[in-house]
């Protein structure tokens, strides 16, 4: 979620920085004989309302640039101003800041206050423009230039001189006078001043906090066409600042701002389409707005674009482009991008070379910045022993840090580490606690495991009704093991009324999801004629397919699969009876800590 603070809002106000100036009614007027006078007046109205000249130049420069250039060369100060803006911003011509200054200076020398203000911004050493934000330094010359342009009647200059005075840049800090100047500029129709005034009221900075007055001023600026104010209205509705929370209204203002070229709004709109916040989920539109913002330098959007390319979400999957955009975001300091790059170097994803040392550096950097995902990945390095000495205890330490950093995907795994004593002493209470947190994060696996804990009274009191409740919840989210447990519950009538048909329904659903244990149970039903099932060929196929799946799982060190397949070999069901193979599988599972395997070996007298 993007959050707006006062300085960020100020940065947004200064987008298209050379395009702010407009006159007062009593300002020095262009010579009446200037052929560009009428066009200039339209420009001033548009710029004052929108807070920048982008809309005007984008619309008019393509067909007016030639005449502006000719007029500038023939001495029209208005044409010199327009031509200078085009050169400065690269509208219908290549950017040429040095040549832009020449023509803007000519317009200023001819008495056009707007040109003087623009020069004060682009020439003054006290101002730099970095990625859509102004960085002011303490510079007296800048302040003096703004004051001079303000005296000539330029409301943008009044606005900038007030900012310098508000923070004491190049002058004695005077908050009271600065605030009065901002109010004056707002009352004279300067939409950026309206937005700033609303921001000051909203944050309670230099004025008593008043959300109603804040929204009144911001709304005025937004309704005039100021894109930054529109985005501020979006955030007001999104967070309920002075207005009722309304994600649909927030989305409406965000779309308006994004369509006017507001970079922050474009990035946020991409997120709204991605998650369905106030808008229907639309991955293609999410991609469109994220990409537009990323190309304009929005760092969070760059990472979003990287994810889209990586996942093929809204755009065709392209690993090379995923890496390209992720590296761009990481170089600009995005913590999530740094963490993901570390993970990709850990796994070799997107054709990146596996480099555990470099992965660890990236992950530790991101973890130090609070990334729970990076902490989880560091846990994986120690769990597997990639570039470090394998250590379950060290892995658990990082997993716990990730959980404490509210990285919800690790809650369920942490519950398992406490349950199976991986790198930590067995603790059913802690397993139950983290399992519940994972359930709160809507994890179907955790719902299934919570049912299991309730069923067996582990870490909590035994509760058949609660077990059924969570098995049902997980099953409805397509968790196949929960379907299996629910099917057994219905068969035996534990916690629910006995219902063989309901048992069959859940076992069939689970089997369709390729759960080998459900397939074996369903095969038993057919062989035993339970619930009217009696298809021996289907039973044979189910058991054969289940055995293939179990063998695959054994390759992944699945100890439960080892025990189940061992029993099938012991009984000769679906496979040729092979007691030695059964013993071998029990022993292998026992070494992995499987209690059932240990019990079977003890029962068979083979525990030594």
């Amino acid at each position: 979620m993007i959050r707006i603070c006062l300085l960020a809002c100020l940065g947004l106000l200064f987008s298209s920085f050379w395009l702010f100036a407009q006159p007062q009614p009593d300002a020095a007027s262009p010579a009446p004989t200037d052929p560009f006078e009428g066009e200039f007046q339209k420009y001033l109205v548009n710029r004052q309302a929108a807070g920048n000249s982008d809309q005007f130049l984008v619309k008019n420069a393509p067909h007016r640039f030639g005449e502006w250039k000719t007029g500038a060369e023939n001495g029209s100060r208005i044409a010199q101003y327009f031509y200078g803006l085009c050169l400065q911003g690269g509208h219908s011509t290549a950017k040429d800041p040095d040549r832009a200054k020449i023509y803007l200076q000519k317009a200023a020398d001819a008495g056009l206050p707007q040109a003087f203000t623009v020069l004060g911004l682009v020439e003054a050493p006290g101002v730099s423009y970095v990625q859509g934000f102004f960085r002011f330094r303490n510079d007296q010359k800048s302040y003096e230039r703004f004051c001079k342009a303000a005296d000539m009647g330029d409301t943008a200059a009044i606005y900038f001189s007030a900012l310098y005075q508000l923070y004491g840049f190049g002058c004695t800090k005077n908050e009271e006078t600065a605030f009065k100047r901002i109010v004056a500029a707002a009352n004279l129709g300067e939409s950026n001043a309206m937005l700033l005034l609303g921001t000051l009221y909203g944050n309670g900075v230099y004025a008593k906090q008043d959300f109603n007055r804040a929204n009144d001023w911001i709304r005025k600026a937004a309704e005039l066409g100021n894109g930054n104010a529109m985005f501020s209205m979006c955030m007001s509705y999104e967070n309920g600042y002075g207005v009722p929370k309304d994600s649909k209204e927030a989305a409406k203002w965000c779309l308006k701002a994004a369509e006017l070229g507001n970079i922050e709004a474009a990035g946020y709109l991409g997120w709204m389409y991605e998650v369905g916040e106030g808008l229907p989920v639309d991955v293609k539109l999410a991609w469109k707005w994220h990409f537009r913002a990323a190309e304009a330098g929005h760092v969070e959007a760059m990472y979003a674009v990287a994810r889209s390319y990586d996942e093929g979400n809204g755009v065709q999957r392209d690993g090379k482009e995923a890496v390209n955009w992720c590296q761009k975001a990481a170089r600009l300091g995005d913590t999530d991008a740094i963490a993901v790059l570390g993970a990709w170097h850990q796994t070799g994803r997107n054709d990146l070379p596996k480099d555990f040392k470099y992965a660890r550096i990236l992950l530790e950097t991101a973890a130090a910045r609070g990334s729970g995902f990076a902490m989880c990945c560091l846990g994986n390095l120690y769990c597997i022993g990639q570039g470090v000495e394998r250590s379950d205890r060290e892995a658990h330490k990082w997993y716990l840090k990730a959980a404490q950093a509210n990285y919800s995907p690790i809650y369920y795994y942490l519950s398992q580490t406490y349950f199976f004593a991986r790198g930590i002493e067995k603790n059913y209470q802690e397993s139950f606690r983290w399992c519940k947190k994972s359930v709160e994060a809507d994890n179907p696996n955790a719902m299934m495991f919570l049912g299991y804990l309730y069923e067996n009274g582990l870490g909590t009191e035994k509760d058949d009704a609660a077990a059924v409740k969570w098995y049902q919840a997980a099953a409805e989210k397509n968790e196949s093991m929960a379907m299996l447990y629910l099917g057994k519950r219905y068969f035996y009538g534990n916690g629910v009324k006995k219902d063989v048909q309901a048992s069959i329904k859940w076992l069939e659903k689970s089997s369709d999801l390729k759960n080998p244990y459900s397939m074996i149970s369903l095969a038993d039903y057919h062989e035993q004629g339970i619930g009217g099932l009696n298809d021996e060929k289907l039973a044979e196929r189910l058991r054969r397919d289940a055995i293939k799946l179990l063998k695959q799982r054994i390759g992944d060190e699945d100890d439960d699969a080892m025990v189940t397949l061992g029993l099938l070999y012991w009984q000769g069901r679906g496979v040729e009876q092979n007691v030695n193979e059964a013993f071998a599988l029990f022993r292998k599972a026992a070494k992995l800590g499987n209690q059932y395997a240990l019990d079977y070996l003890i029962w068979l007298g083979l525990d030594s």
Side-chain angles (χ1 to χ4, degrees):
M1 293 278 289
I2 302 171
R3 294 287 181 264
I4 297 182
C5 62
L6 174 59
L7 292 178
C9 184
L10 292 178
L12 289 170
L13 297 180
F14 308 134
S15 299
S16 307
F17 58 98
W18 58 88
L19 311 174
F20 275 98
Q22 72 279 331
Q24 291 298 320
D26 59 346
S29 300
T33 56
D34 194 311
F36 298 93
E37 167 70 16
E39 187 174 27
F40 188 61
Q41 292 302 318
K42 292 179 181 178
Y43 157 79
L44 293 175
V45 171
N46 180 277
R47 198 235 62 84
Q48 189 175 45
N52 63 64
S53 295
D54 285 341
Q55 295 175 50
F56 180 87
L57 292 174
V58 168
K59 181 179 179 180
N60 292 282
H63 62 273
R64 294 292 294 150
F65 177 78
E67 290 191 44
W68 290 342
K69 180 180 179 182
T70 300
E73 292 169 347
N74 290 334
S76 164
R77 63 180 186 172
I78 294 175
Q80 290 166 348
Y81 178 70
F82 283 147
Y83 184 48
L85 292 181
C86 289
L87 290 169
Q88 184 69 37
H91 293 281
S92 298
T93 187
K95 284 187 179 182
D96 190 339
D98 293 334
R99 190 166 177 78
K101 291 175 186 177
I102 293 173
Y103 279 92
L104 289 169
Q105 187 64 58
K106 287 182 178 181
D109 291 343
L112 196 67
Q114 292 75 24
F116 195 87
T117 301
V118 173
L119 282 171
L121 290 169
V122 301
E123 288 189 322
V127 181
S128 62
Y129 186 72
V130 182
Q131 291 182 7
F133 293 90
F134 266 92
R135 309 293 185 232
F136 290 95
R137 292 188 294 276
N138 191 354
D139 184 73
Q140 184 177 354
K141 189 174 182 181
S142 298
Y143 176 69
E144 290 173 351
R145 287 181 174 180
F146 293 137
C147 287
K148 183 175 180 179
D151 290 341
M152 296 171 69
D154 181 16
T155 55
I158 297 172
Y159 167 68
F160 280 116
S161 64
L163 280 178
Y164 265 54
Q165 202 166 36
L166 189 66
Y167 295 105
F169 294 147
C171 62
T172 302
K173 187 175 183 178
N174 190 327
E175 296 171 4
E176 184 177 354
T177 300
F179 189 79
K180 288 179 179 178
R181 287 188 177 185
I182 294 168
V183 172
N187 284 325
L188 289 167
E190 168 57 51
S191 64
N192 285 319
M194 295 176 188
L195 173 55
L196 176 56
L197 187 58
T199 304
L200 294 177
Y201 277 123
N203 287 295
V205 180
Y206 311 118
K208 185 178 179 180
Q209 191 172 56
D210 187 332
F211 284 126
N212 290 328
R213 296 183 76 178
N215 278 303
D216 285 345
W217 279 111
I218 294 172
R219 187 180 294 275
K220 283 181 181 180
E223 290 175 347
L224 283 172
N226 187 302
N228 297 324
M230 291 174 185
F231 183 55
S232 189
M233 286 300 298
C234 162
M235 300 311 294
S236 292
Y237 278 109
E238 185 76 348
N239 297 290
Y241 295 148
V243 293
K245 276 190 175 184
D246 188 334
S247 60
K248 289 184 178 179
E249 191 69 12
K252 181 188 81 174
W253 283 108
C254 193
L255 179 59
K256 286 183 176 182
E259 287 175 340
L260 287 177
N262 185 288
I263 299 171
E264 292 290 330
Y268 199 77
L269 187 61
W271 174 81
M272 296 184 96
Y273 273 119
E274 182 179 358
V275 302
E277 177 75 4
L279 292 163
V281 172
D282 190 322
V283 293
K284 289 186 177 179
L285 285 175
W287 155 257
K288 167 190 169 181
W289 289 108
H290 275 146
F291 189 74
R292 184 175 296 187
E295 284 194 312
H298 191 289
V299 179
E300 291 178 26
M302 292 179 187
Y303 173 63
V305 168
R307 283 192 295 106
S308 293
Y309 273 124
D310 177 58
E311 299 165 6
N313 207 14
V315 66
Q316 185 174 353
R317 172 166 159 68
D318 188 326
K320 185 176 181 181
E321 280 300 300
V323 171
N324 175 42
W325 282 103
C326 199
Q327 288 176 336
K328 284 182 180 181
R331 283 194 292 268
L332 292 171
D334 186 90
T335 301
D336 291 332
I338 295 170
V340 166
L341 269 183
W344 289 354
H345 276 291
Q346 179 183 359
T347 61
R349 188 170 176 83
N350 293 323
D351 295 326
L352 280 175
K354 281 190 178 181
D355 188 333
F356 299 137
K357 183 178 180 180
Y358 184 50
R360 184 181 173 188
I361 291 171
L362 290 172
L363 293 171
E364 286 179 344
T365 299
R369 297 182 180 187
S371 169
F373 173 71
M375 296 171 192
C376 180
C377 291
L378 283 166
N380 292 341
L381 283 176
Y382 283 101
C383 182
I384 303 171
Q386 293 177 316
V388 293
E389 185 177 349
R390 188 186 180 287
S391 170
D392 285 336
R393 185 167 294 277
E394 193 68 16
H396 175 80
K397 182 188 83 172
W398 280 111
Y399 292 145
L400 185 59
K401 283 185 176 182
Q404 291 168 342
N406 297 321
Y407 182 65
S408 59
I410 197 61
Y411 295 164
Y412 175 65
Y413 186 81
L414 195 61
S415 171
Q416 299 289 290
T417 64
Y418 279 111
F419 187 87
F420 292 107
R422 294 171 183 157
I424 196 74
E425 289 184 6
K426 186 179 294 245
N427 188 325
Y428 290 139
Q429 285 74 26
E430 279 298 286
S431 177
F432 179 79
R433 183 170 77 87
W434 285 108
C435 187
K436 283 195 74 174
K437 286 181 71 69
S438 187
V439 166
E440 290 167 5
D442 206 33
N443 185 324
N445 292 327
M447 293 174 190
M448 180 276 298
F449 191 59
L450 188 61
Y452 178 81
L453 294 175
Y454 274 119
E455 178 179 357
N456 294 281
L458 299 171
T460 186
E461 291 185 10
K462 186 172 181 178
D463 188 332
D464 283 337
V468 171
K469 170 187 171 181
W470 290 111
Y471 285 149
Q472 183 83 35
E476 289 174 355
K477 291 181 177 290
N478 282 337
E479 212 294 324
S480 66
M481 286 301 294
M483 294 176 184
L484 169 64
Y485 293 145
L486 195 58
K488 288 184 176 180
R489 284 261 165 179
Y490 275 112
F491 182 79
Y492 291 107
N494 290 338
V496 291
K497 184 178 179 181
K498 183 179 176 68
D499 187 335
V500 174
Q501 294 306 314
S503 174
I504 292 172
K505 180 190 78 171
W506 286 112
L507 289 177
E508 287 179 339
K509 282 180 174 288
S510 183
S511 296
D512 289 343
L513 293 173
K514 303 301 181 184
N515 184 302
Y517 309 107
S518 294
M519 295 165 80
I520 291 170
S521 293
L522 196 58
D524 289 342
Y525 278 29
H526 278 283
E527 289 178 348
Q528 298 170 30
I530 295 173
L533 302 182
N534 58 6
D535 190 332
E536 293 185 2
K537 289 186 177 180
L538 178 58
E540 183 181 345
R541 179 174 62 79
L542 285 168
R543 203 179 300 281
R544 183 175 62 248
D545 291 345
I547 289 169
K548 289 181 180 178
L549 291 169
L550 289 171
K551 288 181 177 179
Q552 291 173 8
R553 293 190 178 196
I554 288 171
D556 295 327
E557 298 293 293
D558 185 325
D559 51 306
D560 287 330
M562 295 172 191
V563 172
T564 301
L565 187 58
L567 286 172
L568 292 176
Y569 273 116
W570 176 262
Q571 298 164 353
R573 301 179 68 194
V575 290
E576 185 177 346
Q577 188 174 33
N578 188 328
V579 175
N580 290 331
E581 184 65 23
F583 293 164
L585 287 167
F586 291 154
R587 287 193 178 100
K588 189 173 183 180
K591 287 181 180 179
L592 293 173
N594 188 289
Q595 188 61 49
Y596 289 112
L598 289 168
D599 292 343
Y600 282 128
L601 289 172
I602 292 172
W603 179 65
L604 293 167
L606 299 170
D607 55 315
S608 58

